[in-house]
Amino acid sequence: MSKKDVETTGHSWDGIEELNNPLPRWWLMVFYASIIWAIAYSIAMPAWPGIKSATAGMLGWSTRAEVAKDIASFEEMNAGVNAELASADVTTIDVNSDLHNYGVNMGAAVFRANCSQCHGSGAAGNVGYPNLLDNDWLWGGTIDEVAYTIQHGVRNETDEARYSEMPRFGADELLEPAQIDQVVEYVLSLSGQDHDAAMATEGAVVFADNCAACHLEDGTGDIFQGAPNLTDAIWLYGGDRATLKETVTNARFGVMPAWGQRLSQAEVNAAALYVHQLGGGQ
């Protein structure tokens, strides 16, 4: 068909006429089929978003349901070994056994999903969240102590939680500002940092009267009270002068959930196996 055989739309721009060429029939058929398919899909499958959920669709298909089905199938396959892990004494599991290997791999998944947000993906910790790779453990680093801490948590609302509370020496006016400065200098001296020797001498008396009951007379701490060692270079919140003053003034009160209320016993034991084999603790 030549240009002269095709009608125009009547539009012309700078002498250029718009031809009224019809769309190819195959293109129109595909277009109409796509419309029909879209309507059918939106009726049969989840499609239209709402405030809290999407339309379910007449077929009732759900990605969540498919994932739940897959999870259930794997849980069924692993039910036996999970029951064995849940009932096992974590202190007696042979590190060369299949159960230990399974537990460590399962614990790694549990850690990534629930613990890495605070302790870091590599378990090296963050400010206020302990490094799980070293040997500095406030509540004990044996595998049974690690399992207990995971099970019951720290300073939460459950009765079995690990619990300690440092006084707010400044906020509650238990110490004078000058005494706080003195004890900070003394703590700096305990860890071998630069300090004011004269103030540290005065701070030793303040420390003995107010801090030694938990941190012990030599400042090495008591892990079972959750009182850290003040003589090393490991600091949960920081060991510089300003941070120590903030700690003494307003105290710290880190909280860890009781994971035993959220995880299965097998998952708790698996997490303990994973954390313990990272190399820290006892």
Side-chain angles (χ1 to χ4, degrees), residues 211-273:
C211 313
C214 294
H215 294 283
L216 305 186
E217 293 181 1
D218 59 358
T220 53
D222 181 358
I223 61 173
F224 298 106
Q225 292 189 71
N229 183 353
L230 305 178
T231 67
D232 57 22
I234 299 174
W235 300 91
L236 189 55
Y237 291 92
D240 60 277
R241 183 175 280 103
T243 303
L244 289 174
K245 184 172 183 178
E246 170 66 20
T247 298
V248 175
T249 300
N250 295 306
R252 306 290 183 176
F253 197 78
V255 176
M256 175 179 170
W259 288 107
Q261 296 183 348
R262 310 183 187 193
L263 303 175
S264 69
Q265 189 60 53
E267 289 174 319
V268 169
N269 290 351
L273 290 172

Side-chain angles (χ1 to χ4, degrees), residues 85 88-91 137 139-153 160 162 256-260 263-276:
L85 181 59
D89 180 349
V90 291
T91 63
W137 291 76
W139 303 100
T142 62
I143 191 167
D144 55 326
E145 289 166 338
V146 172
Y148 185 96
T149 301
I150 295 171
Q151 180 85 28
H152 301 294
E160 296 83 7
R162 307 282 198 185
M256 175 179 170
W259 288 107
L263 303 175
S264 69
Q265 189 60 53
E267 289 174 319
V268 169
N269 290 351
L273 290 172
Y274 172 74
V275 170
H276 190 261

Side-chain angles (χ1 to χ4, degrees), residues 12-270:
S12 177
W13 293 272
D14 296 331
I16 300 174
E17 295 181 329
E18 181 182 3
L19 300 180
N20 189 22
N21 279 317
L23 292 169
R25 185 176 297 276
W26 67 266
W27 192 97
L28 286 174
M29 296 299 293
V30 170
F31 178 66
Y32 295 144
S34 298
I35 294 175
I36 295 171
W37 170 261
I39 294 173
Y41 184 93
S42 65
I43 294 173
M45 304 291 286
W48 298 99
I51 296 176
K52 294 184 178 180
S53 62
T55 54
M58 294 184 66
L59 297 181
W61 187 86
S62 168
T63 53
R64 289 179 180 270
E66 292 298 309
V67 171
K69 196 181 299 181
D70 288 341
I71 292 174
S73 68
F74 281 105
E75 287 181 345
E76 184 178 356
M77 286 189 291
N78 294 326
V81 67
N82 284 339
E84 184 181 357
L85 181 59
S87 61
D89 180 349
V90 291
T91 63
T92 61
I93 297 177
D94 183 357
V95 295
N96 296 314
S97 67
D98 290 339
L99 182 62
H100 184 272
N101 293 335
Y102 173 81
V104 169
N105 282 281
M106 179 182 181
V110 172
F111 185 91
R112 286 191 295 269
N114 300 280
C115 314
S116 61
Q117 294 84 353
C118 294
H119 293 285
S121 59
N126 289 295
V127 175
Y129 303 100
N131 181 350
L132 305 179
L133 305 176
D134 59 26
N135 295 322
D136 196 65
W137 291 76
L138 287 181
W139 303 100
T142 62
I143 191 167
D144 55 326
E145 289 166 338
V146 172
Y148 185 96
T149 301
I150 295 171
Q151 180 85 28
H152 301 294
V154 179
R155 301 188 191 93
N156 54 56
E157 296 179 353
T158 62
D159 294 335
E160 296 83 7
R162 307 282 198 185
Y163 198 91
S164 65
E165 185 170 0
M166 178 177 174
R168 302 189 307 164
F169 287 106
D172 293 336
E173 299 181 350
L174 302 175
L175 294 176
E176 299 293 333
Q179 291 177 303
I180 292 175
D181 291 335
Q182 291 166 353
V183 80
V184 166
E185 293 302 317
Y186 177 69
V187 172
L188 288 170
S189 74
L190 288 176
S191 55
Q193 300 185 70
D194 291 336
H195 61 280
D196 185 306
M199 291 181 68
T201 300
E202 298 294 330
V205 178
V206 178
F207 185 92
D209 292 342
N210 298 273
C211 313
C214 294
H215 294 283
L216 305 186
E217 293 181 1
D218 59 358
T220 53
D222 181 358
I223 61 173
F224 298 106
Q225 292 189 71
N229 183 353
L230 305 178
T231 67
D232 57 22
I234 299 174
W235 300 91
L236 189 55
Y237 291 92
D240 60 277
R241 183 175 280 103
T243 303
L244 289 174
K245 184 172 183 178
E246 170 66 20
T247 298
V248 175
T249 300
N250 295 306
R252 306 290 183 176
F253 197 78
V255 176
M256 175 179 170
W259 288 107
Q261 296 183 348
R262 310 183 187 193
L263 303 175
S264 69
Q265 189 60 53
E267 289 174 319
V268 169
N269 290 351

